[in-house]
Amino acid sequence: MLSMDIEDKKDLLFFDYIPAVTAVIKKNGEIIYFNKRAAEFFDAENNDFQGFPFVNEKDEEYLLSWIRTEQSTERNSREIQVRVSGENRWVTFKHSSIKFKQYGDCHILTFFDVTSYKETYSLLNIKKKTIKMILKGGSLSFVLNKLSLLVEELLHKQLHTGVMFLDEAKEHLHVAASPTLPRSFINRINGVKYTPTLGSCGPAIFTNKMAICTDIATDRNWESSRDMALEHGIHSSWSFPIIIDNESIGTFSMYHSKPYSPTKFEREVLETCSYIIGLAVERDRRKKVAESYAEQTLGTLSNSIKDIVIFKDQTGNWVETNHALKKNIRAEGYCFSGKSEEELIATFPENKPFFLGIKNLTDDTLHSKQTCRKEISIKSQGRNFIYDFKTAPLPHKKGVLLIGRDVTEKTKIKEELETTKMELENTLKLQKAITCKFEKSGDTFKVTMAKGDGLYNFGLDETKMVNRTLEEIFPANKIVQIKEYLDKVWAGEEILGEDDLNGVYFIASIKPSYKNNMVTEIILSAMDITGFKAIENKLKESRRRYQSLVKNSPDAIYYQNLDGEILEANKASGKITGYKVRELQNMPFQNYVKKEYHESTIYHLRKAIDGIPQRYETSLITKSGESCYLSVTKIPVIENGNVSGVFGIAKDITNEKKIVEELKNTKEQLESFIENTSDAIIIMDLRGTILKVNYAFERTFGWSKTEAKGQNIEIIQQERKYKFNKYVKSMFEGKRMSDCETVCCHKLGHSLEISLTLGAIRDKKGNVIALSSIMRDITDRKKTEDLLRKAEQLAMIGQLAAGVAHEIRNPLTSLNGFLQLINEMLGKNEYIAVMRDELKRIEFITNEFLSLAKPQVKLFQKKDISLIIDGVVKIAGIQAVIKNIVITPEYASVLPLIECDENQLKQVFLNILKNAIESMGSGGQIHIYTKVSKGFVQINVIDYGCGIPEERLKHLGEPFYSTKEKGTGLGLMISKKIITEHKGQLLINSTEGIGTTITVLLPYIQ
């Protein structure tokens, strides 16, 4: 420590000659003297100061602490901040101790201005910290707010910083970061409309240069917002544009509490930070593009893999899943977004354990914020599959990603391995080690130490071994061998080998122990390996079985390296391909696999190398040039977690392919036959549900294939289903159901006469699994048979009528003659008149028979049907008047002429009107209408009589069938015959209790 005799402060003037900022202070911090450089630097007089008023409180405490605890040193202090002429400056200092007679122990402080260095370093530090945040992937908002706080901390002034960005339309400015500005001020400026004269931000964006407003109270650009800014204590502002690709996207601004103009350093800070913000924005944009691309790629990838992929948000709700899960639980088309586990369990109750497992795994991940793993069972198509799910928390608290891989087969293998592991562990527990020490004792050795639980396994006892010789311990047949081993080790060798003792196999390590380069003892360590030997023997046996399996397998078994080259193959490989095994080992697969299968072969090999077992079909050309089809299975060989090669198993399926092709051709031929036959064919199950129909079925019954499929056979059987069931029962009893006639129903409701052949469809075991029915529409044939039957009946009646009429007319002639003679003789007319009427009736019937029996001479002429009907109405009107019935004809205004036999048509209409009158009892009307209809003149005769029952309608027109008590049925039959000869139709429509309509259709002359 220096010592000086100071009588007066004037004696301190020699410090003014020191060319550095220097101050003398007491130990209590009182300043004794500033030299000239110090007075200028601190802008202070040499007055007494207690402490350092130009140093902030925290740095002053550090300064005083430093000089009290540190010895005089050349080492600089850390930087402290001092207030000089209203500005903050950074300084470091050195100190040395000195003793004055007047002041006692004091300190000389030498200050060094490091403001420029400190500013440069601080700005670099801000750049470093901010860029580090950007590179680490911090959010744009986090980076901007952190940067603003760092700048405010650096400048130590009453200022605030803020970042504002233009919107996409470049019409409004929005606050992106401003951690210390008053919230009310932010709310007022957020979303403000952009103009080139808006505060300091507008000019900065417009000119792409820094804009400075030193006094808001007088600046024109703050005119619209001046009061609001001053109200919040903001009196000056300056902004620097944030530029990307030569275009301003916003500003970085500073707001001061006093009218102020920025220093050169503050301008540099503003410009540098604006540039860094531009980098952060560009990084954020690229990140969003990358995330969008990643999301699309991830979505495509997740749907293309077999693993289950699940995205969940931070609350645990589902965001999306891939096709693998939807396929497993049959949820194609179902929207998982926003669903909770409770909703999914309600929708898919059979997989409740699966969704609860997913929920617990998600909760664990969100709570721990770490990767979690768990095996979860999922039920699919009646089977349980085990998936190994692994989770990963998504960055920025976006949720959780879960990926599950099907490990059902691996789990089975794992369980088997666990069993083997337990067996091995139990074996190891039994394999207890032993340690022994031996020393030379004459021409033999004695045991000096024996330890280990394994001694018992060898039948040895520790207490009976120590200080005993080999001959006293081991069996006589082992002494020579043991002594030989120990002699070699005593000579300096080390022995490691296997042997057995008392039936126990062991592995032993025998080593010499040296002292002063001399062997002084032998150490033996041994372990019971009897269990290992048993396992080794099992492995050898398994290897022999495996080799036998590969060697004798009829399928080709081979091993490929990662380049796809065959390294090993069995004999079957050569037998199938025609090549020798050594030829296959050096041959690229392109030489024998067909060209069209090259790409698929490469694809499946790569998949297997990726660790995914493959099964596919391929085709190759054998050495002899023949085509061969194979079913190939590729299994990855995994060693130490990595795929080292691929096992392949190829089965020759050439014959199966041929059989499949033949079956396909047979099926196509059968399908063609079924579709092109004219008979309707139905295939149904044993309950009568229609499985398939052919085109003829559609044409016959009116039902389309789509409509008929899934319907019951009742759609064509209806109330006659019992009869169909009877046929099915008979068929099961062994009876042949062929050409059975039944009645079926058309879709439109009318009946069809059907010839039915029923057959059984059986499976391989002969069990009836379905029914086939061949149906032929015989409705037209039945009608033809019915017409033939009626024609035969008419012919027979005609022959009978001719005979009867001939036999009756001769006696009738005699009777008529004698009656006339008797009438002239007796003159009693009343009885004879009755007899003559009855005879005339008999004569009428015989004439009817004759007209039926022999062809009549017909005279067809052009006639007006209205005139014919008028004539008939006049004749029938007499009988109608008697019964109080009115016949009302109504004719169309214009009716074309018809070609007809007038007398025959009169006979028809007279018969129709006669029947109508007789059906009405007493009183009523009979209407006759005429009109033209589709090439015919249509005549409708309508009565309101008793009507005809439905079951009798189909028999009308048959000989001797009549609805009247004394009717013969011949009148209507003859009428139909006449109309048919006129190429017309006679139709009857009747409702019992309401009346009858007879419709006659006659073709008119074109």
Side-chain angles (χ1 to χ4, degrees):
M1 177 183 289
L2 296 174
S3 179
M4 296 183 67
D5 187 9
I6 299 296
E7 299 293 337
D8 193 296
K9 280 190 177 181
K10 291 181 181 180
D11 296 327
L12 296 174
L13 293 176
F14 79 94
F15 286 108
D16 290 339
Y17 296 97
I18 298 176
V21 176
T22 305
V24 181
I25 64 172
K26 294 181 180 179
K27 288 188 71 174
N28 63 0
E30 180 183 347
I31 298 173
I32 300 174
Y33 187 75
F34 276 154
N35 70 354
K36 290 182 178 179
R37 295 291 299 275
E40 292 173 358
F41 182 79
F42 291 113
D43 192 21
E45 298 293 335
N46 269 306
N47 300 320
D48 290 338
F49 291 106
Q50 183 65 35
F52 293 83
F54 38 80
V55 179
N56 63 53
E57 184 178 344
K58 185 177 179 181
D59 285 343
E60 182 181 10
E61 183 180 343
Y62 165 75
L63 185 150
L64 294 176
S65 174
W66 176 275
I67 63 177
R68 287 170 186 161
T69 59
E70 290 286 335
Q71 297 290 333
S72 299
T73 178
E74 295 298 318
R75 184 164 63 90
N76 282 15
S77 69
R78 70 168 173 81
E79 300 93 344
I80 62 173
Q81 199 171 39
V82 296
R83 190 75 174 170
V84 178
S85 301
E87 291 187 1
N88 290 324
R89 309 282 292 177
W90 291 94
V91 298
T92 61
F93 59 89
K94 293 181 180 180
H95 90 284
S96 58
S97 300
I98 189 170
K99 189 171 184 178
F100 296 107
K101 288 183 179 181
Q102 181 179 352
Y103 300 108
D105 293 337
C106 296
H107 298 278
I108 301 172
L109 296 179
T110 304
F111 293 93
F112 303 93
D113 187 354
V114 294
T115 302
S116 178
Y117 162 77
K118 180 65 176 178
E119 288 178 342
T120 303
Y121 174 78
S122 298
L123 185 56
L124 285 173
N125 191 44
I126 289 177
K127 289 169 68 175
K128 181 179 177 181
K129 287 182 178 180
T130 308
I131 291 173
K132 189 174 182 180
M133 286 188 287
I134 294 172
L135 293 177
K136 280 188 173 181
S139 69
L140 182 62
S141 175
F142 173 79
V143 171
L144 298 181
N145 279 287
K146 194 70 176 177
L147 175 62
S148 298
L149 290 172
L150 289 171
V151 170
E152 292 176 12
E153 181 182 356
L154 169 66
L155 298 180
H156 284 288
K157 292 184 177 180
Q158 296 177 351
L159 59 79
H160 306 282
T161 57
V163 181
M164 298 187 76
F165 290 132
L166 281 168
D167 57 16
E168 290 185 4
K170 298 184 179 180
E171 294 181 353
H172 297 87
L173 281 166
H174 297 273
V175 178
S178 185
T180 62
L181 270 173
R183 175 55 52 186
S184 56
F185 181 76
I186 294 173
N187 293 338
R188 296 282 291 276
I189 65 173
N190 192 32
V192 66
K193 186 174 178 59
Y194 160 72
T195 63
T197 58
L198 178 66
S200 58
C201 294
I205 292 173
F206 183 73
T207 62
N208 277 0
K209 296 179 181 178
M210 180 185 287
I212 299 173
C213 171
T214 57
D215 189 355
I216 291 176
T218 59
D219 196 296
R220 289 183 301 172
N221 290 340
W222 277 91
E223 186 174 352
S224 60
S225 304
R226 180 178 291 116
D227 294 340
M228 181 265 295
L230 297 176
E231 178 186 332
H232 288 87
I234 296 172
H235 290 267
S236 60
S237 69
W238 49 97
S239 302
F240 200 92
I242 301 168
I243 300 173
I244 296 179
D245 295 333
N246 298 321
E247 183 178 2
S248 294
I249 63 165
T251 61
F252 180 57
S253 304
M254 295 184 182
Y255 304 91
H256 206 284
S257 59
K258 296 178 180 178
Y260 185 80
S261 180
T263 65
K264 179 181 178 182
F265 175 66
E266 287 166 342
R267 294 173 184 240
E268 184 181 355
V269 170
L270 194 63
E271 181 178 358
T272 301
C273 290
S274 298
Y275 173 74
I276 295 174
I277 292 171
L279 292 178
V281 172
E282 283 189 297
R283 175 81 175 191
D284 185 66
R285 288 179 178 178
R286 291 174 184 172
K287 182 180 177 183
K288 288 179 179 177
V289 171
E291 286 178 348
S292 175
Y293 174 76
E295 287 179 4
Q296 294 175 5
T297 305
L298 186 60
T300 303
L301 177 62
S302 66
N303 284 322
S304 66
I305 62 176
K306 294 181 179 179
D307 296 343
I308 293 176
V309 180
I310 301 170
F311 294 95
K312 303 188 76 176
D313 62 22
Q314 194 67 15
T315 64
N317 285 337
W318 288 58
V319 177
E320 189 51 85
T321 184
N322 67 339
H323 295 331
L325 175 60
K326 293 179 180 180
K327 183 178 179 181
N328 264 308
I329 63 175
R330 296 184 177 179
E332 291 87 347
Y334 183 80
C335 179
F336 284 80
S337 180
K339 298 291 192 303
S340 65
E341 265 71 21
E342 290 76 12
E343 293 175 282
L344 294 173
I345 289 170
T347 307
F348 308 101
E350 69 278 3
N351 268 306
K352 180 178 179 180
F354 168 74
F355 289 111
L356 290 177
I358 293 295
K359 182 179 187 302
N360 294 335
L361 191 57
T362 304
D363 292 343
D364 292 344
T365 305
L366 291 172
H367 178 72
S368 65
K369 298 179 182 178
Q370 293 180 350
T371 297
C372 298
R373 193 169 187 172
K374 184 179 181 182
E375 288 187 355
I376 303 176
S377 178
I378 183 170
K379 193 170 184 179
S380 175
Q381 300 178 359
R383 290 180 58 196
N384 283 325
F385 293 87
I386 299 172
Y387 277 78
D388 181 17
F389 273 92
K390 190 174 182 182
T391 68
L394 296 175
H396 312 306
K397 296 183 179 181
K398 287 188 176 180
V400 178
L401 168 65
L402 300 94
I403 300 178
R405 174 160 291 182
D406 186 354
V407 294
T408 308
E409 294 301 323
K410 288 184 179 179
T411 302
K412 290 181 181 178
I413 297 172
K414 185 178 179 182
E415 291 174 354
E416 294 174 0
L417 288 174
E418 286 293 332
T419 303
T420 305
K421 183 179 178 182
M422 290 177 64
E423 292 176 355
L424 183 59
E425 287 177 353
N426 292 332
T427 303
L428 291 174
K429 287 179 182 178
L430 299 174
Q431 294 172 344
K432 299 179 180 179
I434 63 173
T435 302
C436 296
K437 290 184 178 181
F438 299 89
E439 286 183 359
K440 189 78 171 176
S441 178
D443 60 351
T444 186
F445 293 88
K446 69 177 180 180
V447 177
T448 58
M449 185 198 77
K451 295 288 184 183
D453 295 336
L455 291 169
Y456 176 79
N457 294 347
F458 292 95
L460 302 174
D461 186 348
E462 177 184 345
T463 60
K464 295 179 181 180
M465 292 179 66
V466 179
N467 294 322
R468 301 278 181 95
T469 63
L470 301 179
E471 291 77 7
E472 294 175 299
I473 300 170
F474 298 104
N477 62 339
K478 287 287 185 181
I479 295 296
V480 175
Q481 185 181 15
I482 294 174
K483 188 174 180 302
E484 183 180 343
Y485 287 151
L486 294 178
D487 284 336
K488 288 182 178 179
V489 176
W490 193 264
E493 292 186 26
E494 292 184 3
I495 296 176
L496 177 66
E498 295 180 13
D499 207 337
D500 70 286
L501 177 64
N502 296 331
V504 178
Y505 288 93
F506 64 91
I507 183 170
S509 171
I510 312 174
K511 295 183 178 182
S513 177
Y514 292 90
K515 188 174 182 180
N516 298 325
N517 295 324
M518 297 287 291
V519 176
T520 57
E521 63 180 358
I522 295 172
I523 301 173
L524 178 146
S525 298
M527 178 178 287
D528 183 357
I529 61 168
T530 305
F532 284 109
K533 278 290 184 181
I535 294 173
E536 182 181 6
N537 291 333
K538 285 183 180 180
L539 288 173
K540 288 179 179 178
E541 182 63 26
S542 296
R543 181 175 179 81
R544 283 194 296 271
R545 290 175 182 170
Y546 165 74
Q547 289 174 341
S548 176
L549 170 66
V550 173
K551 181 179 179 181
N552 300 307
S553 173
D555 297 334
I557 300 176
Y558 55 92
Y559 176 78
Q560 293 174 280
N561 61 17
L562 298 181
D563 295 325
E565 298 172 343
I566 294 177
L567 303 182
E568 298 178 31
N570 65 349
K571 290 182 179 179
S573 301
K575 185 177 179 181
I576 290 174
T577 61
Y579 294 96
K580 294 180 180 179
V581 173
R582 63 174 178 273
E583 291 177 319
L584 290 172
Q585 289 175 343
N586 298 313
M587 185 183 297
F589 74 87
Q590 289 88 347
N591 285 18
Y592 49 86
V593 174
K594 287 184 179 178
K595 186 176 181 180
E596 57 267 29
Y597 290 92
H598 286 181
E599 288 187 8
S600 66
T601 301
I602 295 171
Y603 170 81
H604 291 293
L605 176 63
R606 287 175 178 171
K607 283 289 184 181
I609 291 172
D610 289 340
I612 305 170
Q614 299 292 299
R615 181 174 283 121
Y616 63 97
E617 291 184 3
T618 188
S619 179
L620 54 83
I621 303 297
T622 65
K623 189 174 183 180
S624 60
E626 298 177 355
S627 289
C628 178
Y629 289 92
L630 301 177
S631 175
V632 181
T633 300
K634 287 192 184 295
I635 304 167
V637 178
I638 300 175
E639 296 178 2
N640 299 323
N642 298 316
V643 177
S644 60
V646 175
F647 265 123
I649 303 172
K651 181 179 180 181
D652 188 349
I653 58 170
T654 306
N655 291 333
E656 287 88 338
K657 279 282 186 181
K658 289 179 180 178
I659 293 170
V660 169
E661 189 64 29
E662 289 173 1
L663 287 174
K664 181 180 177 182
N665 292 335
T666 303
K667 181 182 177 184
E668 290 175 354
Q669 291 169 3
L670 184 58
E671 290 284 348
S672 177
F673 168 75
I674 290 173
E675 286 300 322
N676 294 299
T677 184
S678 59
D679 294 336
I681 296 178
I682 307 173
I683 297 175
M684 69 199 92
D685 63 17
L686 300 181
R687 293 174 296 181
T689 302
I690 295 173
L691 304 177
K692 186 175 182 179
V693 297
N694 65 346
Y695 173 70
F697 175 89
E698 295 182 329
R699 188 173 62 248
T700 302
F701 294 100
W703 297 90
S704 69
K705 292 180 180 179
T706 305
E707 293 172 331
K709 187 174 182 180
Q711 297 280 359
N712 196 275
I713 194 67
E714 289 181 356
I715 62 172
I716 62 170
Q717 291 293 327
Q718 295 188 357
E719 70 273 6
R720 298 180 184 84
K721 187 183 178 184
Y722 72 91
K723 195 169 184 180
F724 181 81
N725 292 338
K726 182 179 178 183
Y727 290 152
V728 174
K729 184 178 179 182
S730 298
M731 186 199 69
F732 275 104
E733 292 173 353
K735 297 178 182 179
R736 189 170 182 271
M737 294 292 103
S738 178
D739 296 328
C740 303
E741 293 188 3
T742 183
V743 178
C744 292
C745 187
H746 193 276
K747 181 182 179 181
L748 299 178
H750 58 271
S751 298
L752 299 172
E753 297 280 351
I754 295 297
S755 173
L756 169 68
T757 298
L758 196 63
I761 300 175
R762 302 177 185 273
D763 60 13
K764 292 180 180 180
K765 297 179 180 179
N767 299 319
V768 178
I769 58 172
L771 302 173
S772 67
S773 176
I774 301 175
M775 297 181 173
R776 179 171 293 175
D777 185 358
I778 59 172
T779 305
D780 291 339
R781 192 185 81 186
K782 281 288 185 180
K783 288 180 179 179
T784 303
E785 288 176 355
D786 190 44
L787 289 173
L788 288 173
R789 182 178 57 78
K790 288 183 177 180
E792 289 174 0
Q793 187 180 30
L794 285 172
M796 184 178 64
I797 291 170
Q799 293 173 2
L800 177 63
V804 172
H806 180 73
E807 293 299 326
I808 292 176
R809 287 184 73 181
N810 290 334
L812 280 178
T813 304
S814 300
L815 287 173
N816 274 322
F818 282 116
L819 280 174
Q820 187 173 357
L821 182 60
I822 292 170
N823 185 37
E824 292 174 358
M825 291 173 63
L826 299 177
K828 293 185 178 181
N829 296 335
E830 61 274 13
Y831 300 111
I832 293 173
V834 172
M835 293 172 66
R836 291 188 69 178
D837 287 341
E838 291 302 318
L839 286 172
K840 284 180 179 179
R841 175 170 174 76
I842 293 171
E843 186 177 11
F844 174 76
I845 292 173
T846 57
N847 288 335
E848 292 290 318
F849 271 126
L850 286 172
S851 67
L852 189 65
K854 64 182 180 180
Q856 302 291 320
V857 178
K858 301 177 182 65
L859 181 62
F860 284 84
Q861 296 177 328
K862 295 179 181 179
K863 295 291 181 179
D864 185 344
I865 191 65
S866 302
L867 297 177
I868 295 173
I869 294 173
D870 275 340
V872 174
V873 170
K874 289 177 182 178
I875 298 171
I878 299 170
Q879 186 180 358
V881 170
I882 295 172
K883 290 195 173 186
N884 197 26
I885 294 171
V886 178
I887 300 173
T888 307
E890 295 182 17
Y891 306 119
S893 57
V894 178
L895 283 175
L897 299 178
I898 64 172
E899 191 170 19
C900 65
D901 185 320
E902 183 176 356
N903 290 329
Q904 284 192 334
L905 288 186
K906 282 183 178 181
Q907 181 182 350
V908 170
F909 289 115
L910 189 59
N911 186 41
I912 292 171
L913 287 173
K914 180 183 175 186
N915 289 338
I917 292 169
E918 290 175 354
S919 70
M920 293 184 63
S922 60
Q925 282 191 339
I926 296 173
H927 292 282
I928 301 174
Y929 300 98
T930 63
K931 65 177 182 179
V932 177
S933 175
K934 298 180 181 178
F936 291 91
V937 173
Q938 180 176 326
I939 304 99
N940 293 331
V941 180
I942 305 171
D943 69 61
Y944 303 97
C946 60
I948 305 170
E950 185 178 354
E951 62 272 11
R952 290 191 172 191
L953 275 173
K954 58 184 178 181
H955 295 293
L956 291 181
E958 294 181 2
F960 307 111
Y961 183 85
S962 176
T963 59
K964 295 181 288 186
E965 184 178 350
K966 295 183 180 181
T968 64
L970 297 174
L972 187 55
M973 185 185 73
I974 292 169
S975 297
K976 279 192 171 185
K977 181 181 177 184
I978 292 171
I979 297 300
T980 301
E981 290 173 350
H982 281 72
K983 299 180 181 179
Q985 298 179 49
L986 191 148
L987 307 174
I988 303 173
N989 185 16
S990 182
T991 303
E992 189 175 7
I994 295 178
T996 303
T997 299
I998 306 293
T999 300
V1000 177
L1001 297 173
L1002 295 169
Y1004 59 78
I1005 298 172
Q1006 297 293 336

